[in-house]
Amino acid sequence: KLSDVVSSDLGGSGFFKTLPEEDMLTKPTAVDRINFKDWQVLGQDYMVIGQVVGNGGSYNIEFHLFNVHNGQLLMGYRFAAGANELRRAGHHISDLIYEKLTGRKGSFNTRIAYVTSLQKANGKQYMLQVADADGFNPRTIAESPEPIMAPAWSPDGSKIAYVSFHTKRSEIFVQTLATGQRESVSAYHGINGAPAFSPDGGRLAITLSKDGSPDIYVLNLATRGLTRLTSGMSIDTEPSWSPDGNNIVFTSDQGGKPQLYVVDRKS
């Protein structure tokens, strides 16, 4: 049920305490059937009602968000979704409600990338998987008997960069989700790790140890050109871009213990 998806999303966010269905005095699905006093008695601040109506091979979905204290309509939406899009529609509703009540964009209708493993008779099998933000609809996009780590999304969500040890040494790949096509972009001697896409998606900040100790580099994905940003005997890793793409923050032990540093990507 869409209501279960929305309730799980909002309740799991930590910002809302949803009312169990068995505690509801009534279950109106139309605006003119709401008695706001029922919900005031239950101590509720907001309520959402809606309907899902089949329409051939799709569904018409409608929902309304109300302030229980004064009966004000805060939001109302109507849209269509296919049978295989109902969970995504529920997440979309959750995002709209979350943004309306908190002022921040929701992330329920997004995806997560993660690495899992299975113990088999001949050893472990590592799998890079992509799933809805709540863990549903997982699919494996890469697997190997050797470790996979550090998945990173491209800004448009069409690609994932990750580190694979399938050749017994670290190597950075970029994989297109729609086609499954993957390409090795960094296989230097030593460490190839911690990929992070630039805000424009055209570059990767990575950690390489090809010249000695681990340092931060920027890899141009179109030309394969490398720009070295740090040098020295310290361990520099875990780069992350600033939103404007002009700076990179990274972890380094150059001060004697792990600390965060910022470097201009053009330096």
Side-chain angles (χ1 to χ4, degrees):
K1 294 193 299 183
L2 281 187
S3 58
D4 290 342
V5 175
V6 175
S7 179
S8 177
D9 285 344
L10 297 178
S13 73
F15 286 91
F16 301 94
K17 183 178 180 181
T18 58
L19 183 69
E21 188 172 342
E22 60 269 20
D23 293 341
M24 298 179 183
L25 300 179
T26 57
K27 299 177 184 177
T29 59
V31 175
D32 59 1
R33 303 297 297 273
I34 301 174
N35 183 350
F36 287 103
K37 289 184 178 179
D38 290 342
W39 307 95
Q40 293 168 0
V41 167
L42 293 171
Q44 302 305 293
D45 297 312
Y46 305 98
M47 68 175 299
V48 181
I49 67 168
Q51 297 182 18
V52 180
V53 179
N55 182 21
S58 65
Y59 293 89
N60 293 326
I61 301 168
E62 179 181 327
F63 80 95
H64 297 85
L65 171 67
F66 293 92
N67 181 320
V68 169
H69 298 291
N70 57 19
Q72 180 186 6
L73 174 64
L74 301 178
M75 184 192 328
Y77 270 84
R78 181 185 294 115
F79 56 94
N84 62 343
E85 299 174 323
L86 287 178
R87 288 197 66 84
R88 187 169 293 277
H91 295 317
H92 180 53
I93 292 171
S94 300
D95 282 339
L96 292 171
I97 295 171
Y98 184 88
E99 184 172 3
K100 182 65 177 179
L101 297 181
T102 70
R104 294 185 291 268
K105 284 190 173 297
S107 58
F108 306 112
N109 199 23
T110 61
R111 294 171 295 172
I112 54 174
Y114 57 94
V115 177
T116 186
S117 64
L118 289 176
Q119 185 66 46
K120 296 190 174 182
N122 57 348
K124 276 190 176 182
Q125 186 74 2
Y126 296 86
M127 293 163 290
L128 173 58
Q129 296 191 313
V130 172
D132 295 347
D134 59 359
F136 280 80
N137 302 319
R139 66 185 180 99
T140 300
I141 68 168
E143 55 184 313
S144 170
E146 302 298 330
I148 298 173
M149 60 180 61
W153 289 93
S154 64
D156 64 2
S158 67
K159 299 177 180 179
I160 291 181
Y162 59 91
V163 178
S164 173
F165 286 80
H166 79 286
T167 59
K168 305 294 185 180
R169 61 189 182 92
S170 62
E171 191 170 353
I172 297 175
F173 286 87
V174 173
Q175 183 162 333
T176 301
L177 296 182
T179 64
Q181 179 182 1
R182 72 174 189 168
E183 182 179 12
S184 174
V185 297
S186 180
Y188 293 98
H189 173 76
I191 295 172
N192 297 266
F197 275 99
S198 61
D200 64 6
R203 294 156 293 164
L204 283 178
I206 58 178
T207 296
L208 300 176
S209 64
K210 66 184 187 67
D211 297 316
S213 59
D215 288 306
I216 305 299
Y217 292 75
V218 170
L219 171 67
N220 186 305
L221 292 173
T223 66
R224 294 294 191 271
L226 274 178
T227 302
R228 186 174 182 175
L229 298 186
T230 67
S231 61
M233 298 303 295
S234 59
I235 297 175
D236 301 336
T237 187
E238 298 173 350
S240 181
W241 295 78
S242 62
D244 61 9
N246 291 329
N247 296 283
I248 291 175
V249 62
F250 62 96
T251 303
S252 176
D253 66 351
Q254 60 186 273
K257 61 181 180 180
Q259 293 177 305
L260 296 179
Y261 294 80
V262 176
V263 62
D264 187 325
R265 71 168 181 84
K266 298 178 182 178
S267 62

